[in-house]
Amino acid sequence: HEFMLDVHRRLHELKGANEPLRRVADDIVDRGWLVCFDEFQVTDIADALVMKQLFEELFAAGGVVVATSNRAPCDLYANGIQRQLFLPFIPLLEARCIVHSIEDSKTDYRLAIGNTSESAHIYLQEGDDQGWNEAQRRLIGRTPRIVKVELKTASGRLVKAPRADLNARAAWFSFDELCGGNTGASDFLCLAGAFDVIFLDQVPTLDMRDLNRTRRFITLIDALYEANVIVVIRAAAEPSRLFVADKNAVLDEGHGDLIGDATYLHKGARD
């Protein structure tokens, strides 16, 4: 998300210039010829439309790409809006990158514990007021001094934090405040840069009929994780039961590009 937001920002700055994508690609390679992506995914039509030319220019400039993804190249942007415009990118990626599948691995690395620090992340069940208050006491160290804060993304979009403690660099949100409206990666990256601790309350159970909020939730956690933000969550269910993969659910056609089909899900959820 951060990479493509930066690409679009640079393209906006170069509006009217000759070969803007080539200039963006040259700038990227000038900073480093090895470009690494964790969780490579395409969920936005604006990204999909420029992907082929951008990567053509990256490879032509001498760039080398290493990426991890939940999808094979042929499944990227599955069910996405106007996917036919994205399809020419797939053979380019397959021709220039060696694809290694770990689907048959006995270890699900997504479930591997990478940080055992007690203060890294706190996950609480709904109604656990004692744990919630203890987390605040431990991470803030005092009674929070709550104020309203308005932030701006790199593109100038306004992001509101209705409950924040600026000295503690902490903020409190309900799930719907962050994932129930018109929010996206740029908003979450802005919050991740402004706060060291995020308290997220009232996280509900989700299912296949609620893909908009589910996709935003995934993007939010990705952004906070990458920025090393401490996350305190109070939710309606334990993590393994927070998303219910109901294969009989009726999906809206416009939701395909948010998560895609069942190939995205863990094998156990698909079964």
Side-chain angles (χ1 to χ4, degrees):
H1 297 293
E2 190 171 10
F3 174 79
M4 289 308 300
L5 286 169
D6 185 58
V7 167
H8 288 299
R9 179 186 62 80
R10 292 282 290 116
L11 288 175
H12 180 73
E13 292 173 352
L14 293 169
K15 189 174 182 180
N18 292 327
E19 300 182 317
L21 275 171
R22 175 171 293 182
R23 295 175 62 173
V24 171
D26 287 343
D27 287 344
I28 293 170
V29 175
D30 285 344
R31 288 180 294 181
W33 59 268
L34 179 61
V35 186
C36 301
F37 300 101
D38 187 26
E39 299 287 351
F40 190 102
Q41 58 181 317
V42 184
T43 61
D44 187 287
I45 187 171
D47 295 347
L49 292 176
V50 302
M51 198 71 74
K52 178 176 183 291
Q53 187 179 351
L54 173 63
F55 276 75
E56 280 180 336
E57 300 292 356
L58 273 176
F59 291 134
V64 174
V65 172
V66 177
T68 65
S69 178
N70 285 321
R71 293 182 178 276
C74 62
D75 293 325
L76 288 171
Y77 199 48
N79 305 324
I81 298 172
Q82 295 184 335
R83 188 174 187 254
Q84 71 276 8
L85 301 177
F86 173 80
L87 291 178
F89 172 61
I90 294 174
L92 170 69
L93 198 60
E94 291 177 328
R96 298 301 299 262
C97 297
I98 301 172
V99 180
H100 298 278
S101 174
I102 59 171
E103 186 175 8
D104 295 328
S105 172
K106 295 181 180 179
T107 302
D108 187 340
Y109 292 96
R110 296 172 297 181
L111 302 179
I113 298 175
N115 191 334
T116 57
S117 170
E118 292 183 0
S119 65
H121 306 285
I122 300 173
Y123 193 98
L124 305 167
Q125 295 287 115
E126 189 175 55
D128 188 354
D129 293 335
Q130 181 178 349
W132 185 260
N133 293 332
E134 172 61 21
Q136 291 183 133
R137 184 199 63 77
R138 181 149 59 91
L139 295 171
I140 307 302
R142 53 170 171 73
T143 302
R145 302 186 182 99
I146 301 298
V147 296
K148 295 181 180 179
V149 176
E150 291 187 348
L151 308 168
K152 284 188 177 181
T153 67
S155 63
R157 176 182 167 91
L158 194 66
V159 181
K160 295 183 179 181
R163 296 171 299 282
D165 187 323
L166 295 181
N167 289 331
R169 289 180 58 85
W172 289 254
F173 297 92
S174 70
F175 177 85
D176 277 339
E177 285 173 334
L178 287 184
C179 304
N182 185 26
T183 53
S186 62
D187 305 302
F188 303 148
L189 290 168
C190 180
L191 293 173
F195 300 109
D196 296 329
V197 184
I198 295 287
F199 292 84
L200 185 62
D201 201 5
Q202 301 171 15
V203 178
T205 54
L206 301 160
D207 60 34
M208 296 291 285
R209 290 161 292 198
D210 203 11
L211 293 186
N212 276 316
R213 294 198 302 168
T214 302
R215 181 70 260 167
R216 293 189 192 107
F217 186 42
I218 293 170
T219 302
L220 169 66
I221 297 302
D222 280 346
L224 298 180
Y225 173 80
E226 289 295 329
N228 294 316
V229 175
I230 296 173
V231 183
V232 180
I233 292 176
R234 186 159 55 176
E238 61 189 67
S240 62
R241 299 181 181 276
L242 200 57
F243 183 81
V244 180
D246 181 3
K247 62 183 179 182
N248 296 317
V250 178
L251 307 181
D252 293 339
E253 290 183 1
H255 287 175
D257 62 326
L258 295 173
I259 285 185
D261 56 26
T263 59
Y264 184 90
L265 302 175
H266 184 272
K267 286 182 178 178
R270 296 204 303 267
D271 298 339

